[in-house]
Amino acid sequence: MQEIALRHHSRRGFLRGCLAAAAAPLIVPGRVLGRDGAVAPSNRIVFGGIGIGNRARHILPNFLWQPAIQWAAVSDARADRLASAKELIDAHYGTKECQAFADFRELLARKEIDAVLIATGNRWHAMASMFAAQAGKDIYCEKPISLSIAEGRQLVDTCRRFGTVYQAGTQRRSTASYAFAREMVRQGRIGRVHTVESQVWTGATVPHQKPAPVPEGWNYDMWLGPVQWRPFVPARVQNWTCFWDTGEGMHTDMGTHYTDQMQWVLGTDDTGPLEFETSDVVWPDPAKFMSETAISGTFRCSYAGGVKGVIYQRGAFKDRYIRYIGDEGWIQVDDETDLVTAEPASILGLRTGSGAKWSDASGHITDLLHSIRSRRPTLCNPEVGHRAQSIVEAMTISARLNRKLKWNPASEQFDCDEANRMLRREPRAPWCV
Amino acid sequence: MKYHVRQLELVAVAAMLLCLPAAGAADLGALAAQAMNYESGASEEPLRQIEQLMRESVGEPARRVQAEAVLIKMLDPAATFEAKRFACYTLAVYGTDASLPALAALLKKEETVGIACFALGRMPSKQAGECLRAALAGASGAARVQMIVTLGQRAEAESVEALAGLARDADLAVARAAVRALGAVDAAAARAALAALRREANPALAPDLAVASLSLADRLIAAGDR
């Protein structure tokens, strides 16, 4: 074995040693070095899918329709989903070549795979992304990018360290209606913005249910991943968004789309608000329900310049929106209809084109593909995704502690010890990066 | 430190509960008794009451001590796994050194190591790290890996010696976790330990050594060491 010891622990020498240690085992795709040799002969970007459940089924066609993409493999903790995903992809290509892996680490070990779609449940997003980055893969990961603020920062650092091109699945940045609203605000058409208001729908409640045997074909241990073990309860698993361990409720899950928009429009992608507070939060009745996350509530933040952000969790699914309110008017995008409204209405006459609505993620995927080839950051790169997610996470912490919190976006620390202890979660071994 | 003095611990919890005014003690005692039996499918009212108690006792040290005593009681061997799990999750946010003996007892059982680490990983007290290091020597298999992962999350210089030793363990899962944990520690000793491991050039550890070393290098840069 070659001697790779360092005489002095200087940073330069240290890095030299690290790179030597890394050279043999780590996969460095040729494209990273500017060579196309590692890319498939057709020059397609070869993708694999980690977590091929309901969300993946919605977005997968947007990937498969891209001529620059070849889908080569899938992975899922559920045998039924794994088999049907392979079937779907094989049918698309008219072959039997899609590989199926019960363990995503086997998929990541495949050298021919350049990039992955991560569409697992939220508990896995950050951990699977970091495993993928360390395996040399580029990433499209569904939102939210993480389930804790510290985990999000770790993801940012990991992607930077490994030169990963990463796109968070907050695809409204690639949606024409939202881009138009942003442009109008940025042009000062509604004056100085003082409030960004958005609404997500009322959260579900899940009645109590006893544990049951794990269904045949489920790898429940892999499904849980970094979450500390607890008995298999069907309704808890099926409604995982309603539990702190596995999701964090609607305002955190859907809310990250709107905080992402807010950050984009305000130009604060590398920072965040300074204060968080919540009010009117309605929690599930613990006598009837085992779900833990809020049914409804008002979640607020405020930025250094005095701009206020508000997420209302209330109303029906179809009633979701974001509205920018300035001292000379407002502009709103309705998520369900993609309709843009404004005051003064004359603003709407400035719209010159239209485009696909948010449910078509093709534009967002195209942005990722361009970045994979150019090695430039995507629209929703890890820092962008992390900052948007940090806002809803901080609101969640404020709600759970029932306390107004001050936040330092540079150090990413609260003014409260208990809130700081909620910045991260201990992963269940062996899941660590 | 030794944390297996269960009788003393129970006496301490009882003393904490007895310090309450009579009605309060009875209420909390009943609450603890109910919460200890929690299993999926049952009402979660006792759990939510305990959370409320923790939230509302901010700035009231005596009341907080009493509330923590309820959580400690839920770590009793007689409590269900799910009750212990809830208590550990809550102690991760509110727990103090008073809960360390009960958490240390959970580290001795494979079934409860993970949830104990969930609590210990986020407790700011140095004693929490000490508790983990003390338990590490007697642990094996998956339990040992979990403790190493948590020591990595805590990133204390005091863990370097133990982690450096474990990085040479015959159990590859243990060795790999130890290498990665070393990469999280900001200490000259951790850098030296990783350098020594690189010299040994064990190919099975190479990917983990690379990840750990790059992580350390990143933090050196951030600290201005270019």
Side-chain angles (χ1 to χ4, degrees):
Chain A
M1 285 292 175
Q2 188 182 354
E3 165 84 22
I4 53 171
L6 305 178
R7 284 199 175 84
H8 306 288
H9 298 140
S10 68
R11 206 258 329 166
R12 197 179 299 276
F14 191 75
L15 270 177
R16 210 167 34 238
C18 297
L19 290 172
L26 283 184
I27 300 155
V28 182
R31 64 178 192 282
V32 173
L33 306 172
R35 298 192 305 266
D36 274 339
V39 180
S42 62
N43 208 30
R44 286 179 170 189
I45 296 167
V46 180
F47 265 78
I50 298 174
I52 305 289
N54 294 333
R55 176 58 192 155
R57 295 309 175 92
H58 279 104
I59 199 173
L60 201 54
N62 295 164
F63 281 90
L64 294 176
W65 293 337
Q66 298 270 356
I69 289 177
Q70 174 74 36
W71 210 276
V74 286
S75 166
D76 202 284
R78 285 178 54 174
D80 54 344
R81 287 184 167 175
L82 188 58
S84 65
K86 172 179 164 50
E87 216 170 276
L88 187 151
I89 288 160
D90 281 344
H92 175 78
Y93 291 116
T95 68
K96 300 271 185 199
E97 291 173 6
C98 179
Q99 298 175 86
F101 300 101
D103 186 329
F104 73 93
R105 289 169 295 189
E106 291 177 52
L107 183 150
L108 292 176
R110 302 298 304 182
K111 290 184 181 176
E112 72 275 18
I113 293 175
D114 300 306
V116 289
L117 162 67
I118 296 171
T120 56
N122 299 358
R123 66 203 171 278
W124 261 116
H125 285 173
M127 187 67 78
S129 294
M130 290 188 275
F131 268 77
Q134 291 181 0
K137 313 303 182 193
D138 294 325
I139 300 163
Y140 186 108
C141 183
E142 280 301 321
K143 58 80 195 169
I145 69 149
S146 65
L147 268 186
S148 76
I149 293 174
E151 191 184 44
R153 174 52 62 199
Q154 200 180 4
L155 171 69
V156 174
D157 290 344
T158 301
C159 287
R160 189 188 64 248
R161 207 170 285 148
F162 286 86
T164 309
V165 172
Y166 174 103
Q167 179 83 296
T170 37
Q171 75 276 23
R172 284 159 180 77
R173 283 206 188 201
S174 302
T175 302
S177 52
Y178 285 92
F180 171 70
R182 174 180 184 256
E183 188 56 28
M184 294 301 97
V185 174
R186 306 276 287 186
Q187 287 181 13
R189 303 281 175 181
I190 59 169
R192 191 189 69 84
V193 173
H194 55 76
T195 306
V196 181
E197 181 184 300
S198 58
Q199 182 168 314
V200 300
W201 60 95
T202 304
T205 48
V206 185
H208 291 297
Q209 192 179 59
K210 289 185 175 176
V214 178
E216 186 76 21
W218 275 62
N219 185 342
Y220 178 56
D221 193 69
M222 182 63 92
W223 186 92
L224 280 172
V227 173
Q228 295 297 335
W229 190 88
R230 72 187 309 181
F232 180 88
V233 175
R236 189 182 284 139
V237 169
Q238 284 151 14
N239 300 285
W240 52 261
T241 56
C242 301
F243 298 88
W244 297 126
D245 258 353
T246 46
E248 290 197 322
M250 264 319 114
H251 106 273
T252 310
D253 189 297
M254 183 64 195
T256 198
H257 276 303
Y258 293 134
T259 54
D260 177 63
Q261 286 294 312
M262 176 168 72
Q263 291 273 97
W264 193 38
V265 169
L266 298 178
T268 51
D269 273 341
D270 59 351
T271 180
L274 303 180
E275 288 183 352
F276 299 91
E277 64 182 322
T278 55
S279 58
D280 319 316
V281 179
V282 176
W283 301 102
D285 176 353
K288 296 179 186 166
F289 304 111
M290 62 178 175
S291 48
E292 298 162 330
T293 55
I295 296 170
S296 59
T298 305
F299 304 83
R300 300 178 191 276
C301 64
S302 51
Y303 286 86
V307 177
K308 309 283 185 199
V310 187
I311 300 177
Y312 295 110
Q313 183 172 324
R314 63 187 181 190
F317 173 75
K318 64 177 177 53
D319 297 333
R320 59 203 189 275
Y321 68 87
I322 188 165
R323 176 188 282 216
Y324 302 95
I325 306 168
D327 50 19
E328 294 173 23
W330 54 264
I331 187 163
Q332 174 169 326
V333 183
D334 285 302
D335 207 54
E336 179 75 2
T337 60
D338 206 37
L339 188 68
V340 183
T341 49
E343 179 62 42
S346 57
I347 292 172
L348 303 174
L350 298 169
R351 193 169 180 185
T352 53
S354 60
K357 61 183 288 196
W358 63 266
S359 53
D360 181 350
S362 301
H364 209 48
I365 294 164
T366 300
D367 178 65
L368 169 68
L369 299 181
H370 288 156
S371 292
I372 287 176
R373 294 206 191 280
S374 67
R375 310 312 296 170
R376 297 171 75 90
T378 59
L379 270 173
C380 295
N381 59 67
E383 182 73 29
V384 165
H386 167 61
R387 293 292 186 169
Q389 181 63 14
S390 294
I391 297 172
V392 286
E393 290 285 345
M395 289 170 166
T396 295
I397 293 170
S398 169
R400 293 185 70 181
L401 293 175
N402 193 25
R403 208 179 301 177
K404 184 174 181 175
L405 296 172
K406 290 188 190 302
W407 173 247
N408 181 334
S411 64
E412 300 196 324
Q413 292 282 307
F414 291 106
D415 64 339
C416 162
D417 290 343
E418 287 159 0
N420 285 330
R421 288 167 75 166
M422 297 174 83
L423 287 172
R424 64 188 179 89
R425 303 160 180 236
E426 288 304 308
R428 186 168 64 113
W431 302 108
C432 69
V433 290
Chain B
M1 292 180 73
K2 297 202 182 290
Y3 289 102
H4 43 79
V5 193
R6 296 288 305 166
Q7 286 173 326
L8 279 178
E9 176 202 323
L10 290 173
V11 167
V13 170
M16 281 191 264
L17 290 173
L18 286 171
C19 287
L20 287 168
D27 290 349
L28 288 184
L31 181 62
Q34 271 186 299
M36 281 175 71
N37 293 316
Y38 170 72
E39 286 183 306
S40 291
S43 168
E44 295 190 1
E45 282 175 301
L47 310 187
R48 300 291 92 84
Q49 282 174 32
I50 291 167
E51 286 173 341
Q52 189 178 353
L53 195 59
M54 300 310 295
R55 277 195 301 271
E56 291 178 351
S57 57
V58 174
E60 296 179 55
R63 201 168 161 218
R64 181 58 70 83
V65 166
Q66 292 150 6
E68 187 176 0
V70 173
L71 292 167
I72 294 169
K73 182 72 183 155
M74 291 176 74
L75 303 182
D76 189 272
T80 64
F81 172 80
E82 292 197 79
K84 291 189 187 98
R85 188 182 193 275
F86 168 83
C88 287
Y89 271 55
T90 312
L91 287 167
V93 180
Y94 300 102
T96 69
D97 284 356
S99 60
L100 292 181
L103 290 169
L106 297 191
L107 290 176
K108 292 176 183 164
K109 293 186 179 170
E110 188 146 339
E111 181 194 55
T112 50
V113 166
I115 55 175
C117 285
F118 191 93
L120 290 165
R122 289 195 276 172
M123 292 171 64
S125 152
K126 281 275 181 195
Q127 297 303 318
E130 194 57 43
C131 178
L132 277 163
R133 286 186 289 275
L136 195 57
S140 61
R144 195 155 56 145
V145 175
Q146 177 68 73
M147 288 182 209
I148 293 167
V149 167
T150 304
L151 284 171
Q153 298 272 323
R154 292 185 61 87
E156 293 162 313
E158 291 84 347
S159 300
V160 169
E161 190 180 339
L163 292 172
L166 290 166
R168 294 168 176 87
D169 198 272
D171 181 339
L172 187 58
V174 167
R176 293 185 63 186
V179 168
R180 292 198 179 222
L182 278 171
V185 182
D186 283 323
R191 294 199 291 277
L194 285 173
L197 287 161
R198 286 196 301 274
R199 275 196 298 276
E200 291 167 22
N202 177 353
L205 293 179
D208 305 286
L209 266 172
V211 168
S213 301
L214 287 169
S215 172
L216 254 178
D218 247 7
R219 292 201 304 282
L220 284 172
I221 294 169
D225 181 356
R226 294 179 177 275

